Amino acid sequence: MTRILLALALLAAESLQAQQGATMTGRVYATATDLPVAQADVTVEGTALRAVTDNEGRYRIAGIPAGTQVILVRRVGFAPLRLTVSVPSAGIVTRDIALAATALELPDIVVTAPPVARAQGELATASVIDRDAIANQTASSLRGVLELVPGVPIQPPGLGNAQQFALRTVSTTSPSGLTAGGPSAASIAAFGTAIILDGVPLTNNANLQTLGPRGELSSQLNTTAGGGVDLRQIPAATIERVEVIRGIPSARYGDLTEGAIVVESRAGVVPPAARFAYDATTIEANLVGGRELGRHLVSLHGDVTHTQVAPGANDDDAWRVTAQLSHRLPFGAVAIDSRIRFFQVRQDNPEQPEVVAGRASRNSDRGIRVMERLTAGQVGATRGIVTVAVDHIRRESSAQRRLVRAALPFTDRLTEGRQEGRYVEGSYLAAVRLDGAEWSVFTRAEVEHPSRLIGTEHELRLGVELRREWNAGAGYQFDILHPPQVTFNGVQGFDRPRPFDAVPPVAVSAPYLDDRVRGRVLGMHVEIQAGLRMDVLHRGSHWVSGVRDAALQPRLNAQIAPVPWLRLRAGVGRTAKSPPLSQLFPAPQYFDVVNVNYFANDPAERLALLTTFVRDPANPDLGFARTSKAEAGIEVTAAAGTPSLAVVVFQSRTTGSATTTPVPEFITRERFALDTIAPGQPPAVLEPPIGVDTIPILVDRPSNAAHLESRGIEATLLLPQIRPLRLTIAAQGAWTRTRFSQDGADFGIGFGEFQLNPTTPRAPYWTDARRDGERGLVTWRLIHHQPALGLVITATVEHTFKQETRDSVGADTLAFAGYVTRTGELVPIPPDERGDPQYADIRRARSGTFSPLRITPPDWIMSVQVSKSLPLAGELRFYAFNSLDRIGRSTPEGSRGYPSLQFGVEVTVPLAGVLPVGLGTP
């Protein structure tokens, strides 16, 4: 804090020497005709500085800060252009800019995220992926576009399985054992990565499509409950721009722990075009277009995609249908933006009787969003923005499987007490269905105010967010006579059906303040972005109800440019993520104790008597997960035609993520004697009971007990074009290490035996298990370009130089932390006493699934893509994923390391003659 105050003081002291910055002028013209391009939009990326070309194609932007700046030029009918300019501290920079009908015909083309990209209004480290890079990326969804972020493995296009994304995190080992009943490290990280579509977050907080810790069919449900948003719902072809804020976002973005992915869909005036893609598994068709109708700007995009997951092997398939209608109506300094979006993603895994009889599952997510945004004021001046959005998602998941049970007594009682039960036995088809109806209301009111103060430029932003989410679905349903849970042991009862509409709504409010300051200190250009955000999780279902938890989140990013070609950057801050509805309001847990189990050959003589105990596992103290983040980096970019390099080191620690912790308690079991058995009738129960036993149980209680730590280094390099070969080389890479740990006791898989044996007075428990994952990945992109031919050949080589997972866990007979009694009391034992003879009965090896070290050998994979421009701004593309069909070096399990060879073709057909487009500013 002292350094920040010192920097601000120096800014004030040099106010008399502060300069307005440089001025950039030039002409924008068409490459094919050399004619001027009027109404082209020229912006300085990451700032509010903007100009529109006149009828002669000329533009002028004043007050550009010194240093390396990225200029973005856009005009309807031309490919967007991004160029890097080294700006001096004062004076005039002249730069003429040539626009081409397609990016393939530009003199220089970049098909990756540039190292010095700037997110709009953000100072943190970011990867900015513009439309020209998206158009040259073989991707069916947002997940494929994000492969341009450092450290992200490439995958073939398609909709095979639910797609999640976690920033700056690698997976650890299997979630079994340590995370029994709770989310894995990958799910926690994906849940904490915010996806913001057109300024409104996509939320997974109200997704209740889970069967809980005892659900035997959970693995068949291809949902993202408890994890991140399924990215299959966002087609790549309908995205205009993606900003991946990998560092500390400004205070404007909340409900996250890892970072923010800001997606801007195509809207406004867009040349109409249709795109078709085909490969052995996926067929995709997209349509996008927009035009001016008087003062109205109307655009429409749609997508239909079908994927056969494993053609020739099974009938599993997935469908996606999306559509969005956008409308913009300006009234001078006031504009109203309206958007209606629909999507459906469906995956069907039908039964294969010859493989597993009865096994089948189906998932369908369909949703609609209505968004209105009112903007009053112009860019670069004081303006107010109010956004209101309503999201509704219907989720339908089902799974079935043939199970074989011994004769098990059970009861469907919903309240505590004793009653006669029935028997489930033999082979039967167990089936579950989950019907969710999620609603989310999002409101943001924001004021932006640029100003100058004591010689410094300020961009002040003040706002407040309101979110309310709930699920009105029919819920978790199954036939109680054919329960889908694990084998009943006489204590841990079967689950009961649960309506989702019984779960109350959750409300969150968040005021925030953010200021971005620019000025000069000791001849260096300095930028500071500081903000403060307060997320409040309310105890009730409305924003005026009491406070359940509150998270104060200061955030600070700073940047210094001692010379125009060098930037030094750093950031620190805190972020927070609210728990999901499934953890805030967990289902009641039922414990069905068998008092009498008389199973005669004659069904009429059978008798089962059970006592039901009901425990509410809800934790009133469950609150936000909190993350402390820090990063530091350097960017080097000189004049055009020289290398660009960005390197950043980062560290983050998330504490208190919502997970499930087993909490020991106890219940009682009454034993009864039976009266004389009469033929054809069940025996009578003699009261009072002949004995009472205490039975230890574990209540799966949600808690802020999971912790995630990640650290690493990222680098992005863009080399100048080798002119004789028309070859550009871009490289990006990352080394990341993630550690996952969880508070609480681990009771091992032998706890069930301890429950049922009243002669065993105690059982051991363990603590202090960790799971680590480490990955090093470098991706090279070699781009050969022939602009005169409109030809681009891209070879992508991905090299995984390190892939390890490790479990750090004590598993020997002295690793136990203590013991649990039959009344659920935890008794810790000091390490130096665990070898004493009195603890011989609990000295046993730790049970569970743990892997000391698992190493995947280093390997590489290459994909090739050839793109050719067609007349009227069309494009033809051929790609080969894993073009050499490398299997990949064997993993410890011996499975294939890489997806197999996959060929594909894409064609983009302009429809300007079919759907005429008016001219206007994008």
Side-chain angles (χ1 to χ4, degrees):
M1 183 63 68
T2 303
R3 296 181 181 179
I4 300 172
L5 295 176
L6 178 60
L8 292 175
L10 289 173
L11 286 174
E14 294 202 0
S15 60
L16 297 177
Q17 303 178 17
Q19 302 182 33
Q20 297 291 329
T23 298
M24 183 171 175
T25 64
R27 173 175 173 265
V28 179
Y29 62 94
T31 56
T33 62
D34 201 33
L35 294 176
V37 177
Q39 296 298 305
D41 193 66
V42 185
T43 60
V44 181
E45 194 170 68
T47 73
L49 300 175
R50 175 176 179 265
V52 178
T53 58
D54 59 17
N55 291 334
E56 299 298 323
R58 300 194 177 278
Y59 69 93
R60 183 178 185 274
I61 304 177
I64 302 177
T68 302
Q69 301 292 347
V70 178
I71 309 300
L72 174 62
V73 186
R74 293 186 291 184
R75 178 64 170 94
V76 174
F78 295 89
L81 178 65
R82 302 173 75 251
L83 65 154
T84 302
V85 178
S86 182
V87 179
S89 58
I92 297 177
V93 177
T94 302
R95 178 63 62 91
D96 292 340
I97 303 169
L99 296 182
T102 72
L104 303 181
E105 297 174 1
L106 290 170
D108 297 294
I109 184 171
V110 177
V111 297
T112 188
V116 293
R118 305 281 181 264
Q120 297 176 0
E122 298 291 315
L123 200 58
T125 302
S127 297
V128 177
I129 307 169
D130 225 325
R131 182 62 212 164
D132 52 351
I134 296 171
N136 285 282
Q137 182 74 358
T138 302
S140 295
S141 66
L142 174 60
R143 170 60 178 80
V145 175
L146 296 177
E147 292 172 7
L148 296 177
V149 176
V152 178
I154 61 175
Q155 294 289 333
L159 309 176
N161 291 293
Q163 299 173 356
Q164 302 182 70
F165 188 81
L167 277 170
R168 289 181 169 176
T169 308
V170 297
S171 296
T172 57
T173 52
S174 169
S176 61
L178 176 61
T179 58
S184 65
S187 294
I188 288 175
F191 188 61
T193 300
I195 310 294
I196 295 101
L197 178 63
D198 295 324
V200 177
L202 293 177
T203 175
N204 211 34
N205 293 338
N207 187 347
L208 299 176
Q209 310 300 96
T210 176
L211 301 185
R214 290 178 286 161
E216 229 176 272
L217 293 100
S218 295
S219 60
Q220 291 182 233
L221 297 177
N222 189 26
T223 75
T224 58
V229 173
D230 188 351
L231 302 185
R232 292 181 297 178
Q233 64 176 274
I234 307 177
T238 61
I239 300 174
E240 179 67 27
R241 177 184 172 94
V242 178
E243 297 176 355
V244 184
I245 306 173
R246 312 195 313 268
I248 298 95
S250 67
R252 188 172 195 256
Y253 297 112
D255 199 36
L256 57 90
T257 51
E258 302 304 316
I261 299 173
V262 184
V263 183
E264 178 185 340
S265 62
R266 307 189 71 181
V269 180
V270 180
R275 172 183 170 272
F276 305 92
Y278 171 81
D279 60 39
T281 63
T282 300
I283 300 175
E284 184 176 359
N286 316 110
L287 175 66
V288 62
R291 61 171 299 178
E292 284 183 326
L293 299 173
R295 290 193 305 171
H296 301 262
L297 291 126
V298 180
S299 62
L300 173 69
H301 65 63
D303 167 90
V304 178
T305 303
H306 176 238
T307 292
Q308 290 180 283
V309 178
N314 56 52
D315 296 326
D316 297 355
D317 69 343
W319 282 89
R320 177 183 63 201
V321 179
T322 70
Q324 177 169 295
L325 176 65
S326 305
H327 173 259
R328 181 178 177 85
L329 180 60
F331 297 93
V334 178
I336 299 176
D337 289 277
S338 306
R339 300 196 183 192
I340 300 177
R341 172 180 178 263
F342 167 81
F343 80 91
Q344 179 171 20
V345 177
R346 189 192 74 194
Q347 183 158 347
D348 189 19
N349 306 105
E351 180 186 5
Q352 292 181 272
E354 67 280 2
V355 179
V356 180
R359 185 184 184 97
S361 64
R362 184 176 183 272
N363 299 92
S364 176
D365 296 350
R366 62 184 185 276
I368 186 169
R369 165 183 284 186
V370 179
M371 186 200 78
E372 293 286 342
R373 177 176 292 124
L374 173 66
T375 304
Q378 300 287 350
V379 175
T382 301
R383 63 175 183 169
I385 306 170
V386 177
T387 303
V388 178
V390 177
D391 283 87
H392 177 51
I393 300 178
R394 289 300 304 268
R395 300 188 195 269
E396 299 174 356
S397 306
S398 61
Q400 65 180 38
R401 182 178 175 185
R402 185 158 294 280
L403 301 178
V404 179
R405 298 291 191 226
L408 300 175
F410 76 96
T411 175
D412 58 358
R413 189 181 180 97
L414 298 178
T415 59
E416 290 195 340
R418 187 200 312 163
Q419 77 175 38
E420 291 188 7
R422 288 171 286 185
Y423 286 92
V424 55
E425 60 179 315
S427 174
Y428 64 89
L429 187 66
V432 296
R433 179 181 175 87
L434 296 96
D435 291 332
E438 300 170 28
W439 290 89
S440 175
V441 176
F442 175 86
T443 303
R444 176 191 284 132
E446 191 174 73
V447 175
E448 297 177 351
H449 177 65
S451 63
R452 290 188 61 83
L453 180 65
I454 56 174
T456 60
E457 297 181 5
H458 293 255
E459 293 178 15
L460 184 66
R461 185 162 51 195
L462 175 66
V464 62
E465 278 184 14
L466 302 175
R467 291 186 291 114
R468 189 171 188 264
E469 297 161 293
W470 68 97
N471 195 318
Y476 172 30
Q477 308 158 60
F478 63 91
D479 179 5
I480 193 66
L481 298 178
H482 302 100
Q485 268 68 52
V486 297
T487 301
F488 177 40
N489 68 354
V491 178
Q492 189 80 28
F494 295 118
D495 285 346
R496 311 296 200 262
R498 182 199 190 197
F500 291 162
D501 57 10
V503 177
V506 63
V508 178
S509 59
Y512 59 89
L513 174 67
D514 185 76
D515 189 18
R516 185 167 177 176
V517 186
R518 299 186 182 93
R520 295 184 62 80
V521 176
L522 303 177
M524 299 182 295
H525 181 74
V526 177
E527 290 189 56
I528 297 175
Q529 188 170 28
L532 186 64
R533 181 185 179 96
M534 170 72 84
D535 280 67
V536 179
L537 177 64
H538 293 275
R539 190 169 299 280
S541 58
H542 295 278
W543 300 298
V544 294
S545 56
V547 176
R548 177 173 180 150
D549 192 15
L552 188 64
Q553 304 159 63
R555 304 178 190 178
L556 175 67
N557 286 283
Q559 175 178 277
I560 299 176
V563 291
W565 50 268
L566 176 65
R567 290 176 188 258
L568 305 176
R569 315 175 65 200
V572 293
R574 300 192 72 190
T575 59
K577 179 75 178 75
S578 61
L581 280 181
S582 59
Q583 302 281 19
L584 286 170
F585 305 102
Q589 292 183 9
Y590 296 86
F591 298 88
D592 299 321
V593 177
V594 178
N595 307 113
V596 175
N597 182 13
Y598 183 79
F599 188 80
N601 292 330
D602 184 355
E605 299 177 358
R606 297 172 184 173
L607 175 65
L609 189 66
L610 301 94
T611 300
T612 297
F613 297 85
V614 184
R615 294 292 184 267
D616 180 6
N619 181 358
D621 297 324
L622 187 70
F624 288 103
R626 292 166 168 82
T627 300
S628 299
K629 304 171 72 72
E631 68 169 11
I634 181 173
E635 293 179 359
V636 179
T637 303
T642 59
S644 299
L645 173 67
V647 180
V648 60
V649 294
F650 64 89
Q651 182 172 8
S652 68
R653 175 176 171 78
T654 300
T655 58
S657 291
T659 187
T660 300
T661 303
V663 178
E665 294 184 14
F666 78 95
I667 56 179
T668 58
R669 173 170 56 187
E670 299 174 315
R671 298 181 180 273
F672 294 90
L674 301 180
D675 200 356
T676 304
I677 301 173
Q681 295 181 0
V685 176
L686 298 178
E687 295 278 4
I690 60 175
V692 178
D693 299 329
T694 59
I695 299 178
I697 61 171
L698 297 177
V699 178
D700 299 313
R701 179 160 294 136
S703 61
N704 296 109
H707 313 296
L708 201 62
E709 299 179 56
S710 290
R711 59 188 176 93
I713 182 170
E714 299 168 336
T716 305
L717 172 68
L718 180 62
L719 297 176
Q721 188 180 78
I722 304 174
R723 294 293 179 181
L725 301 178
R726 303 296 304 182
L727 180 68
T728 302
I729 300 176
Q732 60 185 29
W735 169 83
T736 307
R737 173 177 289 173
T738 298
R739 170 166 292 177
F740 177 59
S741 60
Q742 185 171 315
D743 297 334
D746 174 19
F747 297 91
I749 59 178
F751 187 82
E753 299 177 4
F754 170 59
Q755 283 182 309
L756 298 179
N757 189 350
T759 64
T760 304
R762 58 187 180 180
Y765 71 88
W766 296 265
T767 59
D768 300 328
R770 300 193 313 268
R771 297 188 185 275
D772 294 274
E774 184 177 357
R775 182 174 65 207
L777 186 70
V778 176
T779 303
W780 297 86
R781 286 181 172 85
L782 290 79
I783 305 110
H784 174 71
H785 185 203
Q786 294 288 344
L789 302 177
L791 180 68
V792 175
I793 302 174
T794 305
T796 302
V797 181
E798 178 184 278
H799 174 217
T800 304
F801 60 86
K802 191 164 191 176
Q803 183 81 50
E804 294 183 4
T805 56
R806 181 194 302 269
D807 292 339
S808 301
V809 54
D812 58 64
T813 58
L814 293 177
F816 64 93
Y819 63 86
V820 56
T821 67
R822 297 204 66 80
T823 56
E825 180 185 2
L826 292 180
V827 180
I829 301 174
D832 58 349
E833 298 179 12
R834 295 171 188 172
D836 294 353
Q838 59 179 316
Y839 302 121
D841 60 315
I842 58 174
R843 284 201 292 269
R844 66 189 68 166
R846 188 173 191 167
S847 57
T849 304
F850 299 101
S851 174
L853 178 62
R854 186 170 61 181
I855 300 176
T856 301
D859 211 339
W860 59 272
I861 185 176
M862 181 175 73
S863 297
V864 176
Q865 177 180 289
V866 180
S867 301
K868 175 68 175 70
S869 63
L870 299 177
L872 302 177
E875 184 177 338
L876 176 67
R877 179 183 303 155
F878 167 83
Y879 64 86
F881 177 85
N882 191 4
S883 55
L884 302 180
D885 196 26
R886 287 186 63 84
I887 295 176
R889 298 182 182 176
S890 297
T891 62
E893 293 77 16
S895 60
R896 180 184 178 108
Y898 293 130
S900 60
L901 171 66
Q902 186 169 313
F903 294 101
V905 63
E906 297 179 14
V907 59
T908 301
V909 180
L911 302 175
V914 180
L915 301 174
V917 176
L919 297 179
T921 302

